[in-house]
């Protein structure tokens, strides 16, 4: 999901490859996993750092829209569930940062790039979560779209990334189901609750479709990433799969997908649907979404406010180590 | 400028008496905090009954480029596998 528009370094034909690059490509074609200390083309390494970093940032920034509702969850049980979900997102971010670190970049460096606006996170998290129904729609649609993207990535060529994806996928299904359970409750509730559920779907439908990135015809970096198996499906393939899976779920809820052109196409065995407004997508990525400033501001503030704590614990650890060394003398 | 917390490798033993198994890594200022963080990052769903943490800098790894010569000795000794030997069926299970 969470990596949209990852810039990939150059595409070479087999004839243009050096013997090393060719041997590398053949390993990937055979389905072998690439491990941290092994030789890899610089472009592979750089593209992966961008992609895994962007994915990690999305997990971390993704805590904010849901964190917004923890104190206002309707019941203690819902609050505990939401808290556990948001904690999982932190965990997912950490798995991914450590996967990125095996490529020779440190977590703090990645954080600094995020805070300086030099690395991106998924556009979806720049939309506000206005009502409790949004907690349902986020779990159902946003985590649903994430799963669509992450399941195939379990087979990605880079070992540490693949292993992080396997862990994440194990935990992700809880996220989507708790969201759908909220939607069921709202959709089967009072007319006002049902209106809230419909409103959440109306606002989040197109931003969810944008999560898969631009249309294949405009997706310039896909070919190299797919050859390297760090992208397993095209953006449009995944978007189609997501729509096909989600429409019946909306029907079950008795909610209407906000697309007048949505129609089952017997011939292709999938739905025809309207594309999201791509100018809005690029605008949000450029920093002009409804919540970009809030989200990044909250991250920078958390990082700066936590500095004394990180430094304090480090100073304590160093002192304790020095004391132990002295006692051993 | 502040120093980044060092990296630790985390090993967890699951419920059923198996070996500790490498599950990933994390940052922590010291061993005690590494255990606490490992609990939160790697055992949110009862994945373990015991945690080991080791500073990543202390791990010595075999080199991927030596893979061939390093593992060659075991490649060439197929007789170490029981199926190398044909035992007549009359002998029974062995």
């Amino acid at each position: 999901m969470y990596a949209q528009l990852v810039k990939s370094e150059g595409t070479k034909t087999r004839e243009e490859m050096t013997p090393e690059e060719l041997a590398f490509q053949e390993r990937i074609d055979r389905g072998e996993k690439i491990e941290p200390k092994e030789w890899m083309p610089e472009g592979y390494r750089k593209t992966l750092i961008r992609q895994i970093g962007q994915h990690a940032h999305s997990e971390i920034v993704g805590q904010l829209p849901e964190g917004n509702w923890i104190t206002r969850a309707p019941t203690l049980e819902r609050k505990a569930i939401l808290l556990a979900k948001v904690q999982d997102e932190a965990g997912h971010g950490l798995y991914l940062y450590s996967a990125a670190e095996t490529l020779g970049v440190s977590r703090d460096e990645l954080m600094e790039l995020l805070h300086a606006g030099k690395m991106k996170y998924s556009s979806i998290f720049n939309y506000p979560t206005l009502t409790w129904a949004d907690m349902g729609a986020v779990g159902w649609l946003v985590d649903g779209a994430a799963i669509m993207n992450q399941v195939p990535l379990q087979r990605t060529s880079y070992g540490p990334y693949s292993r992080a994806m396997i862990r994440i996928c194990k935990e992700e299904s809880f996220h989507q189901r708790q969201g759908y359970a909220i939607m069921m409750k709202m959709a089967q509730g009072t007319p006002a609750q049902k209106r809230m559920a419909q409103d959440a779907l109306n606002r989040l439908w197109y931003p969810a479709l944008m999560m898969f990135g631009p249309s294949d015809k405009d997706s310039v970096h896909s070919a190299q990433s797919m050859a390297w198996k760090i992208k397993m499906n095209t953006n449009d393939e995944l978007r189609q799969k997501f729509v096909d899976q989600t429409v019946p779920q909306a029907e079950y809820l008795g909610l209407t997908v906000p697309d007048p052109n949505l129609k089952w196409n017997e011939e292709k065995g999938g739905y025809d649907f309207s594309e999201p407004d791509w100018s809005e997508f690029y605008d949000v990525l450029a920093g002009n979404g409804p919540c970009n400033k809030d989200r990044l501001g909250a991250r920078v503030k958390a990082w700066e406010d936590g500095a004394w704590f990180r430094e304090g614990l480090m100073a304590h650890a160093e002192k304790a180590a020095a004391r132990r060394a002295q006692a051993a003398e | 400028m502040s120093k980044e917390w060092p990296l630790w490798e985390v090993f967890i033993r699951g419920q059923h008496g198996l070996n500790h198994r490498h599950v990933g890594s994390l940052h922590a200022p010291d061993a005690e905090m590494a255990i606490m963080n490992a609990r939160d990052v790697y055992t949110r769903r009862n994945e373990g009954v015991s945690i080991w943490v080791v500073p990543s800098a202390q791990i010595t790894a075999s080199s991927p480029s030596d893979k061939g010569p390093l593992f060659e000795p075991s490649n060439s000794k197929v007789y170490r596998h029981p199926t190398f030997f044909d035992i007549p069926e009359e002998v029974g299970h062995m």
Side-chain angles (χ1 to χ4, degrees):
Chain A
M1 88 166 175
Y2 281 158
Q4 305 154 314
L5 271 189
V6 175
K7 225 171 88 200
S8 180
E9 309 272 325
T11 312
K12 285 187 177 174
T13 63
R14 293 183 102 80
E15 290 71 42
E16 292 165 336
M17 287 182 191
T18 64
E20 259 177 330
E21 287 167 343
L22 192 61
F24 179 82
Q25 187 60 51
E26 278 165 356
R27 288 189 61 197
I28 289 184
D29 295 343
R30 280 196 299 271
E32 285 181 31
K33 291 275 183 258
I34 309 301
E35 294 297 338
K37 298 243 163 81
E38 295 172 344
W39 185 88
M40 59 186 80
E42 195 50 21
Y44 178 83
R45 197 181 69 82
K46 281 192 177 153
T47 308
L48 265 176
I49 290 178
R50 259 184 230 132
Q51 178 170 332
I52 302 174
Q54 198 181 113
H55 197 152
H57 295 328
S58 298
E59 302 283 356
I60 298 299
V61 177
Q63 296 179 101
L64 296 169
E66 291 179 301
N68 182 35
W69 281 92
I70 290 173
T71 56
R72 289 172 288 161
T75 67
L76 188 56
E77 187 186 52
R78 291 284 183 201
K79 180 175 179 160
I81 293 170
L82 186 58
L83 203 54
K85 196 226 178 223
V86 172
Q87 193 192 14
D88 272 356
E89 305 298 358
H92 295 180
L94 293 178
Y95 307 155
L96 286 160
Y97 284 125
S98 12
E101 281 184 289
T102 62
L103 293 158
V105 64
S106 80
R107 187 175 74 187
D108 284 10
E109 280 173 67
L110 290 171
M111 292 282 184
E112 275 161 28
L113 288 168
L114 171 70
H115 297 159
K118 289 179 184 160
M119 275 184 97
K120 292 188 171 61
Y121 54 89
S122 178
S123 57
I124 188 77
F125 302 118
N126 290 315
Y127 291 86
T129 45
L130 302 177
T131 72
W132 174 251
D134 289 15
M135 294 302 95
V138 165
W140 172 37
L141 300 173
V142 175
D143 289 271
I147 291 171
M148 214 40 102
N149 188 271
Q150 291 175 153
V151 165
L153 276 176
Q154 294 178 99
R155 292 179 285 114
T156 184
S157 62
Y158 189 54
Y161 191 26
S162 155
R163 293 190 282 273
M165 279 297 119
I166 290 169
R167 282 196 85 83
I168 288 176
C169 285
K170 267 193 204 153
E171 300 178 346
E172 202 78 77
S173 159
F174 148 55
H175 297 177
Q176 193 185 16
R177 293 172 75 133
Q178 66 85 34
Y180 196 71
I182 293 174
M183 289 308 270
M184 287 198 293
K185 198 84 180 169
M186 306 280 294
Q188 293 157 9
T190 64
Q193 284 176 314
K194 189 167 179 185
R195 274 197 303 278
M196 277 168 76
Q198 180 64 54
D199 171 62
L201 173 58
N202 291 350
R203 281 181 289 105
L204 286 163
W205 174 254
Y206 287 105
L209 294 188
M210 291 177 199
M211 288 174 64
F212 299 97
S215 164
D216 292 349
K217 58 184 192 305
D218 304 315
S219 184
V220 281
H221 307 295
S222 285
Q224 179 63 75
S225 289
M226 288 185 76
W228 278 333
K229 291 193 190 160
I230 57 187
K231 189 181 168 95
M232 308 302 286
N233 306 84
T234 74
N235 297 348
D236 287 336
E237 272 167 28
L238 290 174
R239 193 169 9 250
Q240 180 71 51
K241 240 179 123 181
F242 174 74
V243 171
D244 294 345
Q245 178 190 284
T246 308
V247 170
Q249 296 168 351
E251 281 167 1
Y252 178 84
L253 294 171
L255 300 179
T256 311
V257 172
D259 180 357
N261 300 318
L262 186 79
K263 206 171 141 239
W264 178 256
N265 180 333
E266 191 60 51
E267 204 177 315
K268 78 170 177 187
Y271 286 91
D272 290 331
F273 58 94
S274 304
E275 297 249 325
D277 175 357
W278 291 116
S279 65
E280 177 183 318
F281 169 74
Y282 288 110
D283 214 30
V284 172
L285 275 193
N288 305 317
C291 298
N292 294 57
K293 286 202 182 69
D294 279 2
R295 300 296 187 232
L296 204 56
R299 283 312 312 155
V300 171
K301 183 174 185 308
W303 182 251
E304 286 174 356
D305 289 355
W308 69 271
F309 175 78
R310 292 192 301 275
E311 285 158 19
L313 284 188
M314 201 62 235
H316 170 76
E318 281 167 353
K319 252 188 181 166
R323 264 201 304 273
R324 271 197 307 275
Q326 210 170 27
E329 268 169 23
Chain B
M1 195 44 225
S2 63
K3 241 189 271 168
E4 189 162 3
W5 286 354
L7 197 63
W8 301 75
E9 299 304 319
V10 180
F11 301 79
I12 307 249
R13 185 171 66 220
Q15 309 280 351
H16 307 291
L18 296 173
N19 290 327
H20 282 77
R21 200 172 138 230
H22 183 243
V23 293
S25 47
L26 50 74
H27 288 273
D30 56 27
E32 196 187 342
M33 284 299 294
I35 298 251
M36 309 263 269
N37 290 354
R39 184 206 55 187
D40 291 342
V41 179
Y42 292 107
T43 65
R44 288 193 302 282
R45 287 172 177 76
N46 263 326
E47 287 94 337
V49 293
S50 165
I51 301 175
W52 288 350
V53 292
V54 181
S56 305
Q58 296 294 316
I59 302 260
T60 307
S62 63
S63 152
S65 55
D66 290 346
K67 200 160 62 183
L70 188 64
F71 296 107
E72 191 281 330
S74 76
N75 276 338
S76 58
K77 294 176 182 60
V78 282
Y79 45 79
R80 281 183 169 151
H81 298 279
T83 46
F84 179 77
F85 306 93
D86 287 326
I87 304 289
E89 230 163 77
E90 303 90 282
V91 180
H93 177 74
M94 184 181 283

